[in-house]
């Protein structure tokens, strides 16, 4: 007899945040991921279920959900690592508005990247030679450590300071700011430090590290935020903020 999973999935009611969990039975399969389970439900059991994914290989960052109480990327999370006693509870990410079912509205999340001056600003033109940045330099290593962020929102959904203070820029935006603060080609450094030094910026972080613990790309936003705290403190002492 086929082994079955007991799956509870958050379903919206109406257009606001209301909803409740609905129960589904899903057959187990070899190497099954949580995204496979959600896809099975939508394709075989209830086509009205809304969820988001694109690449299925851990590149696009669009499939993150709350799985058994914890934010995770679902396309790279195997059921066998998270289903206790064959039970899965799947909900949308925390700290973001729900559009429908498992789909969250990511606008605030990405607006905060802009708020942290997360855009690169250089001076080179197409007529200039490539910039040469020593791969062994401390700044290059610091930038590289955070550059592989896929914008999945797992860290943001796991941050209790975002929950308490919704204006907080959050770990992903600050990680992005840190990579740019270490980019020697970028000319927007003063504005960026001003942006991340404010009431909603790096100094609000309590350094407990849920973001670093849960990031599926093994990025450590906590380390970058500590770096920003130091840079902004030095800039303040120099009277630049
Ligand atoms: S270490 Fe800071 S940014 Fe990371 S989860 Fe905790 S409060 Fe949020
Ligand atoms: S820092 Fe990690 S958890 Fe946060 S958005 Fe980027 S990849 Fe996702
Ligand atoms: S579907 Fe792209 S990261 Fe999961």
């Amino acid at each position: 007899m086929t082994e079955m999973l007991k799956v509870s999935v958050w379903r919206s009611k109406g257009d606001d945040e209301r909803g409740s969990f609905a129960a589904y039975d899903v057959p187990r399969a070899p190497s099954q991921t949580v995204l496979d389970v959600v896809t099975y439900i939508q394709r075989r059991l209830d086509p009205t279920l809304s969820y988001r994914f694109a690449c299925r290989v851990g590149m696009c960052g669009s499939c993150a959900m709350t799985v058994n109480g914890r934010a995770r990327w679902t396309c790279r999370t195997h059921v066998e690592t998270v289903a206790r006693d064959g039970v899965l509870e799947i909900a949308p990410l925390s700290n973001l508005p729900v559009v429908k079912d498992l789909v969250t509205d990511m606008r605030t999340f990405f607006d905060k990247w802009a708020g942290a001056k997360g855009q690169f600003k250089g001076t080179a033109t197409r007529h200039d030679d490539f910039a040469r940045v020593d791969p062994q330099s401390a700044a290059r290593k610091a930038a590289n450590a955070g550059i592989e962020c896929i914008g999945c929102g797992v860290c943001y959904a796991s941050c209790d300071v975002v929950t308490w203070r919704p204006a907080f820029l959050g770990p992903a935006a600050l990680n992005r700011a840190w990579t740019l603060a270490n980019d020697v080609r970028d000319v927007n450094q003063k504005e960026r430090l001003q942006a991340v030094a404010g009431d909603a910026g790096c100094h609000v972080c309590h350094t407990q590290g849920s973001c670093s613990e849960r990031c599926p790309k093994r990025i450590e936003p906590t380390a970058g935020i500590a770096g920003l705290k130091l840079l902004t403190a030095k800039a303040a002492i120099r009277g630049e903020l």
Side-chain angles (χ1 to χ4, degrees):
M1 205 169 102
T2 310
E3 194 185 341
M4 302 297 278
L5 277 169
K6 294 264 174 223
V7 189
S8 300
V9 178
W10 182 260
R11 302 303 308 266
S12 299
K13 285 194 180 70
D15 293 338
D16 53 27
E17 298 284 308
R18 287 176 304 138
S20 59
F21 284 97
Y24 304 93
D25 292 321
V26 176
R28 291 294 309 263
S31 304
Q32 188 177 30
T33 65
V34 174
L35 185 62
D36 292 335
V37 170
V38 176
T39 301
Y40 180 93
I41 294 170
Q42 201 254 10
R43 298 207 177 150
R44 305 285 187 91
L45 305 178
D46 187 346
T48 68
L49 174 65
S50 297
Y51 67 113
R52 186 190 283 132
F53 74 97
C55 72
R56 300 180 69 125
V57 290
M59 297 292 289
C60 72
S62 65
C63 68
M65 302 170 200
T66 307
V67 182
N68 284 359
R70 188 170 166 151
R72 299 175 186 274
W73 54 358
T74 58
C75 70
R76 299 289 297 269
T77 300
H78 283 95
V79 168
E80 64 191 16
T81 64
V82 287
R84 298 172 210 112
D85 305 321
V87 174
L88 272 183
E89 185 186 270
I90 306 172
L93 287 179
S94 302
N95 293 338
L96 290 160
V98 176
V99 177
K100 181 175 176 288
D101 301 333
L102 301 171
V103 179
T104 47
D105 183 342
M106 303 295 285
R107 275 179 294 188
T108 314
F109 175 74
F110 286 113
D111 284 350
K112 288 181 177 181
W113 289 44
K117 300 281 180 215
Q119 311 92 335
F120 173 78
K121 188 171 178 187
T123 52
T125 71
R126 65 178 63 198
H127 307 296
D128 294 311
D129 195 3
F130 292 111
R132 287 176 173 76
V133 183
D134 180 1
Q136 298 308 321
S137 67
R140 175 73 178 267
K141 286 181 178 173
N144 283 357
I147 205 69
E148 297 291 342
C149 172
I150 56 173
C152 66
V154 164
C155 56
Y156 188 86
S158 305
C159 177
D160 50 14
V161 174
V162 172
T163 310
W164 298 331
R165 300 178 64 150
F168 176 42
L169 290 169
L174 291 170
N175 173 71
R176 173 66 181 159
W178 174 244
T179 63
L180 289 169
N182 283 284
D183 191 326
V184 294
R185 304 163 304 166
D186 186 282
V187 295
N188 214 18
Q189 300 297 348
K190 187 176 170 190
E191 292 81 355
R192 185 170 301 109
L193 287 187
Q194 286 170 341
V196 302
D199 288 347
C202 57
H203 297 283
V204 180
C205 165
H206 58 27
T207 322
Q208 208 168 20
S210 305
C211 51
S212 301
E213 186 195 327
R214 297 187 184 175
C215 172
K217 297 291 289 182
R218 300 195 177 153
I219 291 168
E220 296 191 11
T222 321
I225 292 169
L228 289 174
K229 286 179 179 175
L230 195 61
L231 283 186
T232 51
K234 285 181 177 171
I237 290 167
R238 291 196 300 269
E240 292 174 3
L241 295 183

